Amino acid sequence: MPTTVSPLAPKSYPDMPEIEGVQFATASAGIKYKGRTDVLLATVCEGTSVAGVFTRSKCSSAPVDWCKARVGDGRARALLVNSGNANAFTGKKGKAAVELSAQIVSGALGCGDAEIFLASTGVIGEPLRAEKFADVVEDLKKDQGSADWLDAARAIMTTDTYPKVATASVDLDGESVSINGIAKGAGMIAPDMATMLSFIFTDAAIAPDVLQALLSAETGRSFNAVTVDSDTSTSDTVLLFATGTAGARGIAPVASLDDPRVDTLRAALGDVMLDLAHQIVRDGEGARKFVEIRVEGAESDTSAKKIALSIANSPLVKTAVAGEDANWGRVVMAVGKAGEPADRDRLAIWFGDIRVAVDGERDPDYSEEAASAVMKEEDIVIQVDLGLGAGQATVWTCDLTKEYVEINGDYRS
Amino acid sequence: MPTTVSPLAPKSYPDMPEIEGVQFATASAGIKYKGRTDVLLATVCEGTSVAGVFTRSKCSSAPVDWCKARVGDGRARALLVNSGNANAFTGKKGKAAVELSAQIVSGALGCGDAEIFLASTGVIGEPLRAEKFADVVEDLKKDQGSADWLDAARAIMTTDTYPKVATASVDLDGESVSINGIAKGAGMIAPDMATMLSFIFTDAAIAPDVLQALLSAETGRSFNAVTVDSDTSTSDTVLLFATGTAGARGIAPVASLDDPRVDTLRAALGDVMLDLAHQIVRDGEGARKFVEIRVEGAESDTSAKKIALSIANSPLVKTAVAGEDANWGRVVMAVGKAGEPADRDRLAIWFGDIRVAVDGERDPDYSEEAASAVMKEEDIVIQVDLGLGAGQATVWTCDLTKEYVEINGDYRS
């Protein structure tokens, strides 16, 4: 486990408001780590809606399979998360382990198995000894409410160097509702699906189908717009719980996407998701730079996003950023290899505010000194205008450093 | 420039037979490097056929555009290659530079511009001062024949740590013809197109359309089956020249793909191309391990290749190899993210001869010790059986080390 916190870590954490109906407890079950919490039990009150997005990996983990089969019902009572073992590629043993995990929790809480959601993160291929949850479940039940949001976020960390939380509040019917989220992730982070683990809670009353639509809509511009290393996990899971406890304050349930309050909710949810997604990039394994990549002038938004990801995932672009080298030729390379419509001779590229290339060649006013100054910043914007159409996209990534290689050369040992 | 030779470099070089009609000279034009050759002029005799495959980058270099526009005529008299500057993303200046380059060579040799082929490799975005070729062209003309195959290969190196040559001979009509090739490449190496620079010469008489068909057919299993870093160059070029000088020894021209000698030629050409492609991977920037990835049991060969490349390009697989960590869970991850048909519960994985996973979980006889012993080897085979069909593919890559990050953090400076 890393011993030093990422230099890109948030300097402070927000005050997380209480979400009525949500309670946490954490425990040390000794799944893999010693001397730290590795299990989180979140309970949610009766009537809680749930929505989820999951990895599109063909080798998805047993807990992902479990959640996907149950999230359609839209009802939840508890979430059990462990770190240290992903319960992925564990065959029949993995299926048995999720079933046992759910039974342990449902037995303790007195609810149905189908309302228990599960997530696991850590090593792939190692059988998960779910019986360890039985050792701690009574304590977890007794301690419900004893852990705060940071404690919860800490219990699900693996190679993360800091816990990740975010919050937003919105006014509905003249009353405030909150959206709180936690997340983990630092490596095996790639877009094109719901990435890593994140759990988001709101006290608003939102029907399951509306909740799912909101979550799916906001995933594209947040979790699916970040990449650390282009490698997509077997375990990626985002779950969004709506307890509906705000109803006691006279806030009417959101029952349809036509509800005029949906836009406000969606924007706030999106902000929380984007905040958490950025925190994952800022904790990217070995990261020293946070890079925003804006592509505009593409033939479509989809095309812009593919090009942006081609830049964000390029080892040569990422190592140039690590070396503080204003090597815009590698950005050209990454645009060219994306396979999307591009006209070399219309391309323009900026590092920060400095235009380094225009009309298919180096900017006539190019200053190596000015471009290099941008690269020395901690947060760097790389902007590309393709000059073809109105398509645009923004994605975020980090640099590729020797520390990434070091961390991943001996993660298991 | 690197000062130490890759530990994976060939221990010896083959004796390269003469190819009648092909002559080399090299010069130091001071394009970027000091104290080494950086220009290669290869002349080929009248009547030489040529075929080529090129990068599919949308931001291809000016020399690639030049060659693509002329290779269809199938006739060549000379090849001019420089290292140190790719003449890529250089706009109108780049186009003017290739035109001037061709004129300088055609003027010296007294042939048409359209028979001059050009390739440049090095930094992207820096205007190429083609007038420097004028300073050396008379010497190059005078010295034709003074450089051998290794000299030729050395003149086109950039971050390469050793020159790359390969040769094969085949019997046609009871006489031997030769196929000699040189190549350069160590970074910005990715498949899905003709990758890096390679120039191959044979004294067989082969019609241009047959030559092109042979070259295109063999690219898929050689240059398009290797990857160093998933980044595809703007300048990738493979040119194949057939001088036809073997005709003087009574060997009839190969005028059609139906010629029974085509299979023999294709196999020998493929061997030379594969040898050169492997040498590029073995010189992968920072490489310490050579990795062969075999995928079988896929739904199709195309699907198998996509999965094999997903494994070969995964930073987490490559860093695990660097760390000598038998982390087969990352192979599962890379299979899962490829987006191709896969059934987790039919998957089997081997490191060398050691089966580490079967039926969607860790092999019951798994031995960490045995798997780790494989990872300590210099050449490592990772094999995946998907258990779905008869599709198969093999690709080659190297590990991802701290040295890769170091080399690419300050390549320009």
Side-chain angles (χ1 to χ4, degrees):
Chain A
M1 274 195 301
T3 49
T4 53
V5 172
S6 166
L8 308 177
K11 303 298 173 245
S12 67
Y13 289 104
D15 287 330
M16 302 290 284
E18 190 192 350
I19 306 268
E20 206 186 333
V22 180
Q23 290 195 305
F24 295 129
T26 62
S28 303
I31 302 292
K32 172 179 152 83
Y33 304 119
K34 303 291 169 204
R36 55 158 279 189
T37 57
D38 58 2
V39 184
L40 166 67
L41 178 64
T43 54
V44 288
C45 60
E46 216 164 322
T48 295
S49 304
V50 65
V53 284
F54 304 95
T55 183
R56 287 191 209 124
S57 170
K58 304 281 179 180
C59 295
S60 54
S61 70
V64 164
D65 290 353
W66 172 273
C67 290
K68 280 166 99 170
R70 282 153 189 84
V71 76
D73 292 343
R75 293 292 155 198
R77 288 303 307 282
L79 165 71
L80 182 76
V81 191
N82 74 273
S83 53
N85 184 315
N87 193 14
F89 210 69
T90 41
K92 292 196 188 79
K93 291 188 196 76
K95 191 162 178 284
V98 291
E99 285 164 2
L100 178 57
S101 304
Q103 281 159 18
I104 289 168
V105 177
S106 65
L109 299 182
C111 62
D113 287 1
E115 295 175 305
I116 311 296
F117 287 79
L118 303 168
S120 297
T121 177
V123 174
I124 296 172
E126 186 79 32
L128 174 66
R129 286 172 291 167
E131 60 277 14
K132 290 199 167 192
F133 298 137
D135 299 341
V136 296
V137 73
E138 286 305 321
D139 282 344
L140 285 167
K141 185 184 170 187
K142 192 174 67 200
D143 296 345
Q144 278 303 293
S146 66
D148 67 11
W149 294 87
L150 280 173
D151 292 336
R154 266 187 211 103
I156 64 174
M157 285 165 50
T158 56
T159 57
D160 304 63
T161 73
Y162 58 84
K164 297 163 186 71
V165 301
T167 183
S169 293
V170 285
D171 266 1
L172 297 187
D173 306 338
E175 286 277 336
S176 174
V177 300
S178 299
I179 302 172
N180 284 6
I182 64 173
K184 69 80 52 179
M188 209 178 275
I189 297 293
D192 193 29
M193 46 208 78
T195 315
M196 40 16 75
L197 300 186
S198 178
F199 309 107
I200 306 168
F201 301 84
T202 177
D203 50 353
I206 306 175
D209 58 334
V210 177
L211 203 64
Q212 185 65 52
L214 291 178
L215 181 63
S216 298
E218 291 304 311
T219 299
R221 72 172 183 101
S222 57
F223 294 121
N224 281 6
V226 299
T227 178
V228 167
D229 54 11
S230 80
D231 274 345
T232 300
S233 162
T234 53
S235 309
D236 300 329
T237 297
V238 180
L239 291 168
L240 169 59
F241 300 87
T243 64
T245 43
R249 285 177 280 135
I251 303 173
V254 179
S256 147
L257 281 171
D258 299 328
D259 189 311
R261 299 169 301 172
V262 157
D263 285 348
T264 313
L265 271 174
R266 190 196 335 248
L269 174 65
D271 287 348
V272 169
M273 291 167 72
L274 190 59
D275 188 339
L276 292 170
H278 283 185
Q279 288 188 54
I280 288 171
V281 173
R282 288 184 179 279
D283 205 9
E285 288 167 342
R288 296 291 175 268
K289 306 270 190 188
F290 178 78
V291 187
E292 175 168 311
I293 293 165
R294 298 182 198 151
V295 172
E296 58 190 32
E299 284 206 346
S300 67
D301 289 353
T302 306
S303 179
K305 189 157 180 185
K306 281 189 187 155
I307 291 168
L309 287 172
S310 178
I311 300 167
N313 282 324
S314 158
L316 288 170
V317 170
K318 293 160 83 84
T319 49
V321 173
E324 302 189 336
D325 177 9
N327 195 325
W328 57 270
R330 295 185 182 170
V331 177
V332 173
M333 175 281 299
V335 171
K337 78 163 182 166
E340 290 298 307
D343 179 344
R344 181 186 61 198
D345 297 333
R346 291 188 191 193
L347 210 57
I349 299 170
W350 290 256
F351 286 166
D353 294 332
I354 310 296
R355 193 176 67 182
V356 291
V358 65
D359 296 337
E361 58 184 308
R362 193 166 65 189
D363 193 287
D365 298 327
Y366 179 78
S367 150
E368 181 81 22
E369 199 182 358
S372 292
V374 172
M375 302 310 286
K376 293 197 189 310
E377 300 289 323
E378 194 171 87
D379 286 16
I380 294 168
V381 177
I382 299 176
Q383 188 179 345
V384 173
D385 188 344
L386 294 161
L388 297 179
Q392 53 181 306
T394 302
V395 306
W396 294 270
T397 191
C398 55
D399 53 345
L400 171 57
T401 64
K402 290 184 199 173
E403 287 70 28
Y404 178 88
V405 177
E406 190 167 286
I407 291 165
N408 287 298
D410 58 12
Y411 171 51
R412 292 198 319 163
S413 42
Chain B
M1 275 193 301
T3 49
T4 54
V5 173
S6 167
L8 308 176
K11 303 298 175 247
S12 67
Y13 289 103
D15 287 330
M16 302 290 285
E18 191 193 350
I19 305 268
E20 206 186 332
V22 179
Q23 289 195 306
F24 295 129
T26 62
S28 303
I31 302 293
K32 172 179 150 89
Y33 306 118
K34 303 291 168 205
R36 54 158 280 190
T37 57
D38 58 2
V39 183
L40 166 67
L41 179 65
T43 54
V44 288
C45 60
E46 218 164 321
T48 294
S49 303
V50 65
V53 284
F54 303 95
T55 184
R56 288 191 208 124
S57 170
K58 304 282 180 179
C59 296
S60 53
S61 70
V64 164
D65 290 352
W66 172 274
C67 290
K68 280 167 99 171
R70 282 153 189 83
V71 76
D73 292 343
R75 292 294 157 197
R77 287 304 307 283
L79 166 71
L80 182 78
V81 191
N82 73 274
S83 53
N85 184 315
N87 193 13
F89 209 70
T90 41
K92 292 195 187 80
K93 292 188 197 77
K95 190 161 178 286
V98 292
E99 285 164 1
L100 178 58
S101 303
Q103 281 159 17
I104 289 168
V105 177
S106 65
L109 299 183
C111 61
D113 287 0
E115 295 176 305
I116 310 297
F117 288 80
L118 302 168
S120 297
T121 177
V123 174
I124 296 173
E126 185 80 31
L128 173 66
R129 284 172 292 166
E131 61 275 14
K132 291 199 167 192
F133 299 136
D135 299 340
V136 295
V137 73
E138 285 306 320
D139 281 346
L140 284 167
K141 185 183 171 188
K142 192 174 70 209
D143 295 346
Q144 279 303 293
S146 66
D148 67 11
W149 293 86
L150 280 173
D151 293 335
R154 266 188 211 102
I156 65 174
M157 285 165 50
T158 55
T159 57
D160 305 63
T161 73
Y162 58 84
K164 297 163 186 72
V165 301
T167 183
S169 292
V170 285
D171 266 1
L172 297 186
D173 306 339
E175 286 278 338
S176 175
V177 300
S178 299
I179 302 172
N180 284 7
I182 64 173
K184 68 81 49 181
M188 211 179 272
I189 296 292
D192 192 28
M193 48 207 78
T195 313
M196 40 14 76
L197 300 186
S198 178
F199 309 106
I200 306 168
F201 301 83
T202 176
D203 50 353
I206 306 176
D209 58 335
V210 177
L211 204 64
Q212 184 65 52
L214 291 178
L215 180 64
S216 298
E218 291 304 311
T219 298
R221 73 172 183 100
S222 58
F223 295 122
N224 281 5
V226 298
T227 177
V228 167
D229 54 11
S230 80
D231 274 345
T232 301
S233 162
T234 52
S235 308
D236 301 329
T237 298
V238 181
L239 292 167
L240 169 60
F241 301 87
T243 64
T245 44
R249 285 176 280 135
I251 303 174
V254 178
S256 146
L257 281 171
D258 298 329
D259 189 311
R261 300 168 299 173
V262 157
D263 286 346
T264 311
L265 270 174
R266 192 199 330 251
L269 174 64
D271 288 348
V272 169
M273 290 166 72
L274 190 60
D275 188 339
L276 292 170
H278 283 185
Q279 287 188 56
I280 287 171
V281 173
R282 287 183 181 280
D283 205 9
E285 288 168 342
R288 296 293 175 267
K289 306 271 188 185
F290 178 78
V291 187
E292 175 169 310
I293 294 165
R294 298 182 198 151
V295 172
E296 59 191 32
E299 285 207 346
S300 67
D301 288 354
T302 305
S303 179
K305 190 158 180 185
K306 282 189 185 155
I307 291 168
L309 287 172
S310 177
I311 300 167
N313 283 324
S314 158
L316 288 170
V317 171
K318 293 161 84 84
T319 49
V321 172
E324 302 188 336
D325 177 9
N327 196 326
W328 56 271
R330 295 184 183 171
V331 178
V332 173
M333 176 280 300
V335 172
K337 78 164 181 167
E340 290 298 307
D343 178 343
R344 181 186 63 198
D345 298 333
R346 292 188 189 192
L347 209 57
I349 300 169
W350 290 257
F351 286 166
D353 295 332
I354 310 295
R355 192 176 68 182
V356 292
V358 65
D359 296 336
E361 57 184 307
R362 193 166 66 188
D363 192 287
D365 298 327
Y366 179 78
S367 151
E368 180 82 22
E369 198 182 358
S372 291
V374 172
M375 303 309 288
K376 294 196 188 307
E377 300 288 323
E378 193 170 87
D379 286 15
I380 295 169
V381 177
I382 299 176
Q383 189 179 345
V384 173
D385 188 343
L386 294 161
L388 297 178
Q392 54 181 304
T394 302
V395 306
W396 295 270
T397 190
C398 55
D399 53 345
L400 171 58
T401 64
K402 290 183 200 175
E403 287 70 27
Y404 178 88
V405 177
E406 188 166 287
I407 291 164
N408 287 298
D410 57 12
Y411 171 50
R412 290 198 320 163
S413 41

